[in-house]
Amino acid sequence: MDRRIKEAVRYLGYGRNAADAKTLALIEDAFATLDRTISPKSVWRIFDLVQTEDGRSIIGNMEIKSNSLERNLKGCVKAVLFGATLGAGMDWLIKRASLSDMAEAVVLQSCAAAFLEEYCDERQLAIGAELEAEGLYLRPRFSPGYGDFDITYQKPLMQMIDCAKTIGLTMTSSFMMTPTKSVTALIGASPVQERCPVAGCEACDKKDCPYRR
């Protein structure tokens, strides 16, 4: 079973239990549909990062007060602001499925989440390869809403990389992204290589890591 199928099963809430054959067939069909029809897009920009003694992280014109983010960025000198989306077509596929088969719609939701995560990992690896040429190494992605990194920072982050113009990603007044299958994140870049897994803290068993979110 490949990684994205395992991720889709995890998103479906199976935990340590195995998915049944019917669910696995739905998952495979859903990924086949996504591979044929969905073209994800991403945008990113690099900013200088300053961390103050009182715990603020200053990135461009954005000042962030978050203890969990401060830990994640400890020792970093740059920050990558990142946005990615599966596009409006993904929302249409899910809506169409929900009108005819709720089981298919639920599986499609989970597969879309896994598909987006896989795409973000690929883009982060590509960004990391570019920065390593400059002697910088990436930390795991950290998105508004994690820990005490308030969701309201979604707005300035998206504005700083012009998500609406570059990839068609916008936000509602309640900080929900449109299209819904989208991600924004902040990624620290440090001159010290910590070998953090690209999949993030959830894929790492080092529970005492000082950068853990």
Side-chain angles (χ1 to χ4, degrees):
M1 187 185 298
D2 66 27
R3 180 188 164 194
R4 67 178 182 175
I5 291 179
K6 289 180 180 178
E7 283 296 289
V9 170
R10 182 175 69 83
Y11 280 117
L12 283 168
Y14 277 85
R16 296 182 179 274
N17 299 317
D20 58 84
K22 181 179 179 181
T23 300
L24 289 175
L26 286 173
I27 289 172
E28 290 177 358
D29 287 346
F31 277 126
T33 298
L34 297 185
D35 287 334
R36 288 195 310 269
T37 61
I38 298 301
S39 298
K41 297 178 180 179
S42 63
V43 59
W44 58 278
R45 286 184 62 192
I46 301 172
F47 293 85
D48 290 331
L49 166 66
V50 176
Q51 288 190 295
T52 67
E53 291 184 0
D54 62 353
R56 289 175 296 135
S57 300
I58 303 174
I59 303 165
N61 60 7
M62 179 168 55
E63 291 191 15
I64 304 169
K65 181 65 176 176
S66 163
N67 293 330
S68 52
L69 180 63
E70 181 190 16
R71 289 194 302 272
N72 180 272
L73 296 177
K74 185 178 180 181
C76 292
V77 295
K78 302 279 186 180
V80 180
L81 269 55
F82 175 82
T85 183
L86 298 188
M90 188 69 249
D91 288 353
W92 181 82
L93 284 175
I94 293 171
K95 182 177 180 180
R96 184 182 68 175
S98 67
L99 294 174
S100 57
D101 188 332
M102 280 307 300
E104 179 185 347
V106 170
V107 168
L108 197 56
Q109 286 267 14
S110 297
C111 289
F115 191 94
L116 179 58
E117 191 74 10
E118 181 181 58
Y119 174 72
C120 290
D121 288 349
E122 291 172 356
R123 298 311 306 146
Q124 184 167 341
L125 285 172
I127 296 167
E130 289 189 29
L131 286 175
E132 283 182 24
E134 303 175 21
L136 295 173
Y137 303 92
L138 294 182
R139 297 278 171 76
R141 294 187 297 277
F142 205 103
S143 295
Y146 282 139
D148 63 350
F149 184 18
D150 198 275
I151 192 68
T152 57
Y153 289 107
Q154 192 92 272
K155 183 176 181 179
L157 192 160
M158 291 175 66
Q159 290 173 337
M160 289 170 70
I161 53 176
D162 203 2
C163 283
K165 183 177 180 180
T166 54
I167 60 174
L169 175 58
T170 60
M171 186 185 68
T172 69
S173 58
S174 57
F175 305 100
M176 299 297 291
M177 287 181 286
T178 305
T180 58
K181 294 305 177 185
S182 304
V183 166
T184 61
L186 194 156
I187 313 168
S190 168
V192 178
Q193 188 173 15
E194 299 291 349
R195 299 196 179 279
C196 292
V198 69
C201 299
E202 292 82 357
C204 180
D205 60 3
K206 190 177 180 182
K207 305 299 184 184
D208 60 345
C209 176
Y211 313 118
R212 195 170 185 87
R213 65 194 180 201

